[in-house]
Amino acid sequence: MLGRGVWSSLRQGLSRGLSRKVGGWASGEGRKMDIAGIYPPVTTPFTATAEVDYGKLEENLHKLGAFPFRGFVVQGSNGEFPFLTSSERLEVVSRVRQAMPKDKLLLAGSGCESTQATVEMTVSMAQVGADAAIVVTPCFYRGRMSSAALIHHYTKVADLSPIPVVLYSVPANTGLDLPVDAVVTLSQHPNIVGIKDSGGDVTRMGLIVHKTGRQDFQVLAGSAGFLLASYAVGAVGGVCALANVLGAQVCQLERLCLTGQWEDAQKLQHRLIEPNTAAADTMKQRAAPWEERMCAAVLALCMPSCLTLHSVPPPVPTLGTHSGMPGTPFCCLGCGLSHPRSGLMSPYCPA
């Protein structure tokens, strides 16, 4: 049962969502929000004293704003939301909304372990500027997360959300793959607009596209590593960590797929595999520092012998400093040698 304070927050959020006219359920329009396109999952920079570095966050957004992205995903896995307090999660989304271009979509991660907490966070995300909520599967009691339980959870969240909801399946982090039958059922909800699938199973993605074909429902790939294959089976875009450092190339791959230039798309996809692997291969490759591996991969991609994309490697965002190492840049897609909040190796730092 939701308390009086939560219902008051819900009413405020619903009013705000209705006024934003962002599409789908929230706007009262016939069609759901169109989420097609490329989104970089924005990282959360930290200072050496373990505080969120909002200055660096804004710098990164200004750099990323130069690329033709559809929008930004904030507080997803790459944003390391489990290390933030609730107030910090909301403040990050608010700062991103203020700094990002006005014509871009803001998808904010609002998933929590309980349905009530997820509803409250989703409403709050809407209040600070999110256009849609991307909701990860609850997973602490993953053994009890049956299709029925997940359908109940997401249905309640979507019923009470003032903004459209995007399902988020990331089994590498949660140990739980959102079942296809649950996705198909949830696709029929008027306020659930799509899914970000990070599992990498292209057959599964194609099956979801096929089984939700009669619904106004869209699939986003969760990595640049299988972006071409995802477009081939009917996906409409991707949330790609690699877009944080190779935004132009990932957007070019999107254009090649959408215009049917499959041969060129294949060549570019092949050249993106190595840098994408460097970004995603967390903890496996320990022989060379992250900066050396990533720079080598970027240089290989951008040499004149390959497709003409850049004459020089694109600028790499500066994301903060290592814990206890003032002035040392964080790695491109993660947050350092050890995480300032946990003291452990960051899951998104493959150094």
Side-chain angles (χ1 to χ4, degrees), residues 201-236:
D201 185 341
V202 177
T203 301
R204 166 190 154 90
M205 295 176 66
L207 185 60
I208 291 173
V209 171
H210 173 65
K211 286 185 171 291
T212 61
R214 294 187 178 182
Q215 308 301 325
D216 191 3
F217 187 82
Q218 297 177 312
V219 176
L220 297 174
S223 170
F226 49 88
L227 188 59
L228 168 59
S230 301
Y231 272 113
V233 297
V236 299

Side-chain angles (χ1 to χ4, degrees), residues 245-320:
V245 288
L246 293 176
Q249 289 87 340
V250 176
C251 288
Q252 183 173 350
L253 179 56
E254 175 199 27
R255 290 192 297 272
L256 292 172
C257 292
L258 293 177
T259 56
Q261 300 179 65
W262 296 109
E263 185 175 348
D264 286 343
Q266 182 186 66
K267 293 177 182 178
L268 179 53
Q269 177 70 88
H270 287 166
R271 293 191 179 277
L272 289 176
I273 290 174
E274 186 175 2
N276 187 76
T277 300
D281 190 5
T282 67
M283 312 292 284
K284 292 182 181 178
Q285 300 181 36
R286 305 294 291 272
W290 159 261
E291 291 85 357
E292 293 179 17
R293 293 200 309 274
M294 194 62 190
C295 288
V298 171
L299 283 169
L301 175 70
C302 299
M303 290 297 286
S305 60
C306 73
L307 294 177
T308 303
L309 302 172
H310 284 296
S311 58
V312 295
V316 174
T318 300
L319 300 183

Side-chain angles (χ1 to χ4, degrees), residues 40-288:
V42 177
T43 56
T44 303
F46 294 91
T47 68
T49 56
E51 300 298 324
V52 176
D53 194 331
Y54 295 108
K56 292 297 184 184
L57 176 64
E58 293 174 6
E59 286 181 23
N60 290 337
L61 286 164
H62 289 312
K63 294 174 182 178
L64 293 171
F67 299 104
F69 299 129
R70 180 65 194 281
F72 302 96
V73 169
V74 183
Q75 293 303 289
S77 300
N78 215 51
E80 298 179 305
F81 71 89
F83 292 139
L84 303 186
T85 66
S86 295
S87 60
E88 286 174 328
R89 290 177 70 178
L90 294 172
E91 182 64 19
V92 167
V93 172
S94 177
R95 295 292 188 100
V96 171
R97 178 83 268 175
Q98 295 172 40
M100 64 184 278
K102 303 304 181 185
D103 61 337
K104 308 291 186 184
L105 288 179
L106 172 53
L107 277 56
S110 63
C112 302
E113 283 300 313
S114 77
T115 302
Q116 178 172 328
T118 303
V119 169
E120 293 181 23
M121 181 61 72
T122 301
V123 171
S124 297
M125 290 292 189
Q127 291 174 333
V128 296
D131 293 310
I134 183 165
V135 181
V136 70
T137 51
C139 62
F140 187 82
Y141 297 105
R142 66 178 60 85
R144 303 298 297 273
M145 292 294 103
S146 63
S147 289
L150 290 165
I151 289 170
H152 175 81
H153 172 75
Y154 279 108
T155 298
K156 183 65 68 174
V157 172
D159 283 346
L160 297 175
S161 173
I163 52 178
V165 170
V166 178
L167 310 176
Y168 182 19
S169 182
V170 54
N173 289 349
T174 64
L176 177 67
D177 222 343
L178 188 56
V180 172
D181 65 305
V183 175
V184 172
T185 298
L186 292 167
S187 72
Q188 301 171 45
H189 194 289
N191 202 30
I192 296 178
V193 300
I195 182 172
K196 177 198 171 186
D197 196 318
S198 296
D201 185 341
V202 177
T203 301
R204 166 190 154 90
M205 295 176 66
L207 185 60
I208 291 173
V209 171
H210 173 65
K211 286 185 171 291
T212 61
R214 294 187 178 182
Q215 308 301 325
D216 191 3
F217 187 82
Q218 297 177 312
V219 176
L220 297 174
S223 170
F226 49 88
L227 188 59
L228 168 59
S230 301
Y231 272 113
V233 297
V236 299
V239 181
C240 306
L242 190 63
N244 281 289
V245 288
L246 293 176
Q249 289 87 340
V250 176
C251 288
Q252 183 173 350
L253 179 56
E254 175 199 27
R255 290 192 297 272
L256 292 172
C257 292
L258 293 177
T259 56
Q261 300 179 65
W262 296 109
E263 185 175 348
D264 286 343
Q266 182 186 66
K267 293 177 182 178
L268 179 53
Q269 177 70 88
H270 287 166
R271 293 191 179 277
L272 289 176
I273 290 174
E274 186 175 2
N276 187 76
T277 300
D281 190 5
T282 67
M283 312 292 284
K284 292 182 181 178
Q285 300 181 36
R286 305 294 291 272

Side-chain angles (χ1 to χ4, degrees), residues 1-23:
M1 181 68 68
L2 297 178
R4 183 180 303 173
V6 178
W7 281 114
S8 174
S9 179
L10 280 171
R11 284 193 293 272
Q12 295 175 14
L14 285 167
S15 175
R16 187 182 184 281
L18 287 165
S19 67
R20 283 179 62 82
K21 297 283 185 183
V22 294

